Amino acid sequence: MDIYEEYKDSGIDWVGKVPASWKRSRIKFLLSHSSAGVWGEDEKGNKDDIVCFRAADFDYSHGCLKLDNNTVRNIQPKQLEGRVLHKRDLLIEKSGGGDATPVGRIVRFNYDGIATCSNFMHFISVNKNNDDNYLFYYFYAMYANNVNVLYFNQTTGIQNLKVSEYLGQIIFIPSLKEQSSISSYLDKKCSEIDNVISAQQKRIALLQELKQSVITHAVTKGLDPNVEMKDSGVEWIGKVPTHWELIRTRYLCNLCTGNKDTINRVDDGKYPFYVRSPKVERINTYSFDGEAILMAGDGVGAGKVFHYAKGKFDYHQRVYNFHNFKRVIGKFFFHYIANNFRYIIEEGGAKNTVDSVRLYMIQNFLMTVPTIEEQYKICEYIEQKEMAFDTAISKAQHQVELLQEYKQSLITEVVTGKRKVS
């Protein structure tokens, strides 16, 4: 791409030099309206009910709102004054966030009806002398370059963006015509990149589905395609080899839960600490020493997060520990339950105020039990297949990461004038 003929120093570290013709301003001077959102009360079924968007509705990768599960709140007209959203408005997450997604994310308002946003949000309207889409991309570049982390404080675990200071930043902007050219160019390029990312993500999902299917087939059907089969009596299992047994989990192992909480984790602790998430924490104590399978018992990972462990470790009070295996080897048990317990979850029996797995659900879970010799062979086969699938998935994930980095880099270079859009 072309570059501009002449540049000047912006005095802004992450921006660097900008085209000499671009004008200095502050973000807040490009706006016609700036306001926090409002949460109101629960839906009442009257004229004051209104759609209220939250950060959970952000489709950040596409810079817009997800519209498939709208939240409705009851908000009095006085509270709603100056808080109805319009096309061209931009929504900023000002409170909440986390380590992976700190506050400051921004999306475009793309809803056709009347709506507002929650009190954890802030929205801005761009004045007629500037292009709202250009400013969206500028905010996107700031977030990608971690500028937002300089403008928030954190209390009681919640990040709060200092909005007035954030919007008071100096910005160098081109003419309205050039802003529009830049935003149109980025719309086209980002759409192309997003399409490729989407294709890779679909490939990853397909590979993960195929991997799960291969493992499920191996632990329920075995490796011999010519073996005589019998009906298991369980719909999702189907037919199994005639000489295999069907045994409930309660007869195959011992089961208990831990006595620690997530707050007991220690950075760089001596032992693994299994909580209710895929991430294995660390801790300086251990309450178990041996071979075990760990399963999250509640939370979003209930019945979906599994770990195979061997040695000394500690674990959360709502993590189930399967151990002291009888008639099955630990690895076979792990492959079987980690890939097939989802069928119990999908039945809906694990739904309460939070996702949870009850003891009876585990104890009554039916497992296919081949001979010990077959179990070893099946585990060896699964590990070979897993390696091939994981390699392919890792390559696709790396492609997604590179594309996302390229998208961020492209946006940053264009909105700061490092590249000239013709």
Side-chain angles (χ1 to χ4, degrees):
M1 293 179 66
D2 294 334
I3 61 172
Y4 290 81
E5 291 182 4
E6 188 180 354
Y7 285 84
K8 61 186 176 184
D9 186 17
S10 70
I12 305 168
D13 288 342
W14 75 274
V15 174
K17 291 185 176 182
V18 294
S21 62
W22 288 21
K23 303 298 183 183
R24 184 182 186 275
S25 181
R26 292 188 184 274
I27 294 173
K28 62 184 179 181
F29 297 144
L30 313 180
L31 311 178
S32 60
H33 185 80
S34 175
S35 175
V38 59
W39 189 230
E41 299 177 350
D42 290 340
E43 183 179 359
K44 295 181 179 179
N46 61 28
K47 62 181 178 59
D48 295 327
D49 285 348
I50 186 172
V51 171
C52 188
F53 287 101
R54 306 164 298 151
D57 301 312
F58 276 23
D59 181 357
Y60 180 65
S61 62
H62 294 96
C64 61
L65 292 163
K66 294 179 284 189
L67 306 176
D68 54 347
N69 190 24
N70 296 334
T71 300
V72 175
R73 301 289 294 173
N74 191 271
I75 302 171
Q76 296 297 313
K78 199 164 186 178
Q79 289 181 298
L80 198 59
E81 284 181 11
R83 291 190 170 106
V84 175
L85 299 169
H86 301 91
K87 287 292 174 73
R88 298 185 69 226
D89 283 350
L90 304 177
L91 281 67
I92 306 171
E93 181 188 18
K94 71 166 187 173
S95 296
D99 292 339
T101 54
V103 291
R105 292 182 300 162
I106 188 165
V107 295
R108 292 163 285 204
F109 180 64
N110 56 308
Y111 181 64
D112 288 330
I114 299 173
T116 187
C117 58
S118 80
N119 56 321
F120 274 31
M121 313 279 285
H122 194 95
F123 73 94
I124 55 176
S125 305
V126 180
N127 64 37
K128 63 181 181 180
N129 298 318
N130 291 281
D131 187 283
D132 57 289
N133 211 22
Y134 171 83
L135 199 58
F136 160 75
Y137 283 118
Y138 191 88
F139 273 105
Y140 187 102
M142 286 201 297
Y143 192 86
N145 286 275
N146 299 314
V147 178
N148 56 307
V149 301
L150 304 175
Y151 292 90
F152 71 71
N153 52 44
Q154 188 162 344
T155 56
T156 63
I158 296 178
Q159 298 171 358
N160 297 292
L161 188 71
K162 293 182 277 190
V163 177
S164 60
E165 293 181 31
Y166 197 56
L167 299 180
Q169 292 179 78
I170 292 170
I171 183 174
F172 287 82
I173 54 169
S175 66
L176 176 57
K177 182 180 179 182
E178 194 168 358
Q179 288 180 42
S180 299
S181 295
I182 287 171
S183 63
S184 296
Y185 170 83
L186 287 174
D187 280 347
K188 180 177 182 295
K189 285 295 181 182
C190 289
S191 178
E192 292 170 357
I193 296 169
D194 289 341
N195 287 339
V196 181
I197 289 174
S198 179
Q200 287 292 341
Q201 289 171 332
K202 287 177 182 176
R203 172 175 166 75
I204 291 167
L206 178 59
L207 286 167
Q208 289 170 333
E209 187 179 327
L210 287 170
K211 173 184 171 182
Q212 192 171 50
S213 176
V214 166
I215 295 172
T216 296
H217 188 276
V219 297
T220 60
K221 304 289 185 288
L223 305 179
D224 183 358
N226 300 315
V227 70
E228 186 179 346
M229 307 291 279
K230 66 180 179 183
D231 187 14
S232 68
V234 180
E235 184 179 353
W236 64 264
I237 295 177
K239 292 187 176 182
V240 299
T242 303
H243 65 285
W244 286 19
E245 294 184 85
L246 290 159
I247 304 176
R248 297 194 185 279
T249 305
R250 68 177 71 176
Y251 302 115
L252 297 174
C253 63
N254 292 348
L255 182 65
C256 62
T257 56
N259 61 6
K260 298 291 190 302
D261 209 338
T262 307
I263 60 172
N264 299 127
R265 64 189 175 192
V266 177
D267 291 340
D268 301 319
K270 188 175 180 181
Y271 304 105
F273 179 33
Y274 296 96
V275 292
R276 295 167 296 173
S277 74
K279 181 183 177 182
V280 180
E281 302 288 352
R282 305 296 297 182
I283 198 168
N284 284 327
T285 62
Y286 72 89
S287 58
F288 191 90
D289 185 1
E291 183 184 43
I293 313 302
L294 291 309
M295 179 183 78
D298 69 6
V300 295
K304 302 169 189 173
V305 172
F306 292 86
H307 298 279
Y308 174 82
K310 203 167 188 178
K312 296 173 180 173
F313 63 84
D314 223 327
Y315 54 113
H316 192 277
Q317 61 184 331
R318 288 298 292 137
V319 168
Y320 288 104
N321 175 344
F322 303 85
H323 59 281
N324 192 22
F325 300 106
K326 309 170 187 70
R327 305 176 72 175
V328 290
I329 61 174
K331 277 292 181 72
F332 181 86
F333 188 98
F334 170 73
H335 289 307
Y336 188 95
I337 196 167
N339 281 276
N340 296 318
F341 198 78
R342 62 192 173 98
Y343 291 106
I344 303 301
I345 298 299
E346 288 167 4
E347 288 175 359
K351 298 289 183 183
N352 202 335
T353 53
V354 295
D355 288 353
S356 59
V357 177
R358 304 304 182 195
L359 185 60
Y360 74 90
M361 297 165 61
I362 302 171
Q363 292 177 328
N364 291 328
F365 183 56
L366 203 61
M367 289 189 63
T368 56
V369 182
T371 65
I372 294 296
E373 182 183 0
E374 284 180 286
Q375 289 180 42
Y376 278 111
K377 288 180 178 177
I378 289 169
C379 288
E380 184 180 352
Y381 168 82
I382 286 172
E383 282 158 17
Q384 289 174 349
K385 290 293 185 181
E386 274 188 320
M387 189 179 298
F389 277 116
D390 289 345
T391 299
I393 290 169
S394 178
K395 286 181 178 178
Q397 287 172 334
H398 184 56
Q399 290 296 317
V400 169
E401 290 167 6
L402 289 175
L403 286 162
Q404 288 170 336
E405 288 173 10
Y406 171 63
K407 177 181 174 180
Q408 292 175 357
S409 176
L410 176 67
I411 291 172
T412 299
E413 290 185 354
V414 173
V415 299
T416 61
K418 305 300 181 296
R419 296 188 184 194
K420 184 179 182 181
V421 174
S422 56

